[in-house]
Amino acid sequence: MAETGASPLPPTPPAHSPLFRAEQFVWLTARVLEQRLFAYHFLNGAADAVETALDAYRNEDGGYGHALEPDLRGPVSQPLHTGHALHVLDAIERCGGQRVDRVCRYLTSVSTADGALPAIHPSQRGYPAAPFIPIVEDPPSSLLATGPVVGLLHRNEVWHAWLFRATDFCWQAVESLEKSHPYEIEAAVAFLDSAPDRTRAEAAADRLGRLVREQRLAALEPDDLAAYPVPPGYAPGEHHFPHDYARTPRSLARAWFTDDEMSRSLDHLAGGQQEDGGWPINWRQWAPGTALEARPMVTIEALSTLRSYGRRIG
């Protein structure tokens, strides 16, 4: 038998189970990185294989590019690509050591005057990018870009000089949020779930939970989505649900929702698997290739969320 280099696989999940259908979708459509991630999460695949696939996106400056985040095309490193890379390294328990030191040096080099990250660095100019991510010469600091990165680094007990001012920025940004939108709240949760000051994080999360409910930023009744208008600039149908904020039962955002609300949310997520085995994306689609590349990511995330809540997937 030919040697494939793959790890021994567990028994094949039952045909027509969510996991089996998703596996077929991933082998059919996904990039090598998402194929390796799927295998790692659900088929006993090796972490080394994921890291090797991720290295294809790494640049000499320590950042990541090459459309790792599909909505930004071209070779140049960007904070959103690099945050995505840290998310992958965290998933395989490799978010540390020299590779992360190099990432932190890159983050330092592209930070704004207040020590945080812009959503998009002007080096993107000249390469294709989603029209909803504006490119400006002097971009402001962004909680969307900074919060998840700072959270992941704290979660993995990484200590680097860059983190001090970036953490201060996140606290100031989170604690001053008033009128917000779902992606900004998700970034705030990603920070708060791993922020070192747990008492402060719990207080900030409690306030954000009230804000989410007051501003109807979570669709609590999936069967009545008309009652939850999407925020300005979002695509039609770009709703966010309790499971989008509380990706696992351990998240601080889990306390924002009742058991019934979370159960309906997870039912809605489980029911979103399409005939081809993958889950859809609900944000604005601006190019065919970007949607194709994003769906396997969303599919892996959906399966991981369902499994974390004890839902049967295979």
Side-chain angles (χ1 to χ4, degrees), residues 147-221:
V149 168
V150 172
L152 281 172
L153 294 178
H154 281 308
R155 170 186 166 96
N156 288 275
E157 300 182 344
V158 173
W159 291 105
H160 187 276
W162 177 80
L163 266 174
F164 291 99
R165 295 182 66 208
T167 300
D168 288 343
F169 165 82
C170 289
W171 280 123
Q172 189 278 329
V174 169
E175 293 176 337
S176 63
L177 282 178
E178 295 297 340
K179 181 67 176 174
S180 190
H181 60 95
Y183 291 120
E184 189 170 51
I185 297 294
E186 288 179 19
V189 171
F191 166 69
L192 293 174
D193 275 348
S194 299
D197 188 336
R198 300 312 300 154
T199 301
R200 188 177 180 183
E202 289 167 7
D206 183 64
R207 188 184 75 86
L208 287 187
R210 292 194 299 272
L211 183 152
V212 164
R213 298 186 78 91
E214 290 166 2
Q215 298 182 15
R216 301 179 70 79
L217 299 181
L220 303 178
E221 299 286 349

Side-chain angles (χ1 to χ4, degrees), residues 58-146:
R58 184 161 54 88
N59 287 322
E60 291 184 5
D61 60 8
Y64 289 75
H66 306 280
L68 178 57
E69 178 60 48
D71 281 331
L72 296 177
R73 317 303 291 183
V76 294
S77 297
Q78 284 292 329
L80 290 179
H81 295 314
T82 306
H84 188 109
L86 288 173
H87 180 73
V88 171
L89 291 171
D90 175 67
I92 62 172
E93 300 182 352
R94 297 285 179 88
C95 193
Q98 291 187 351
R99 68 175 68 79
V100 175
D101 286 340
R102 290 194 296 268
V103 166
C104 288
R105 287 198 294 271
Y106 164 74
L107 298 176
T108 302
S109 73
V110 296
S111 289
T112 59
D114 52 12
L117 298 173
I120 184 167
H121 190 270
S123 60
Q124 183 68 31
R125 194 177 302 281
Y127 298 102
F132 46 81
I133 309 178
I135 303 171
V136 298
E137 282 305 316
D138 188 20
S141 299
S142 166
L143 179 60
L144 273 75
T146 311

